Amino acid sequence: MTRSRPTRAEIRARHRPDGAGVYGVSVLDAGADSWTGLYLCRAADADHARRRIREAGFHKKHIQGRWTPTDPPPRVPGELADDDERWFRCRYDDDGWGPWEPLPRDYRHPSPARAAVDPSVR
């Protein structure tokens, strides 16, 4: 009995899960004491999530982790509804994870060079 090799589509499905759900990134965040922030949003599929992450200004060199429906984040805000288009942020500080805060749908993440200033939210 010989095993056939997986197709490209099967390999892609394993590494790039598609499907509606919660997607997000763990990134360097100058506004957090430990410089770690967790940012989540809803997306229709993996391509939509990648587009939203790119449009929000998250850069590869600052991303420490990625979250998908098949690899869920350690925490999810209770108010993140299926039809919610906002971003949600939680920051890690000396006392642990802070509360979730909703951000605008068109949120833009500031670069670390701008320190703790986040003009898109204030």
Side-chain angles (χ1 to χ4, degrees):
M1 179 155 121
T2 61
R3 287 183 53 183
S4 64
R5 294 176 58 143
T7 66
R8 273 185 202 216
E10 291 170 337
I11 293 169
R12 195 176 309 119
R14 227 180 301 152
H15 297 288
R16 290 180 32 192
D18 287 327
V22 176
Y23 289 83
V25 290
S26 176
V27 297
L28 293 175
D29 186 341
D33 293 343
S34 69
W35 283 69
T36 301
L38 180 58
Y39 292 78
L40 301 178
C41 69
R42 287 253 179 216
D45 56 37
D47 289 334
H48 181 225
R50 276 190 296 282
R51 203 167 37 255
R52 287 200 70 190
I53 289 168
R54 185 179 58 249
E55 289 169 356
F58 295 108
H59 297 284
K60 286 183 182 180
K61 65 182 178 180
H62 301 130
I63 295 175
Q64 300 170 328
R66 293 184 181 268
W67 310 104
T68 66
T70 57
D71 183 18
R75 330 175 51 227
V76 177
E79 61 266 25
L80 182 56
D82 289 343
D83 60 347
D84 201 334
E85 295 186 355
R86 296 177 294 175
W87 280 93
F88 283 82
R89 171 177 61 199
C90 182
R91 289 173 161 165
Y92 193 77
D93 293 318
D94 294 334
D95 297 329
W97 287 101
W100 286 104
E101 51 186 319
L103 304 171
R105 183 198 184 298
D106 60 348
Y107 172 74
R108 291 284 301 164
H109 191 68
S111 71
R114 297 180 67 192
V117 177
D118 192 346
S120 63
V121 178
R122 296 170 203 249

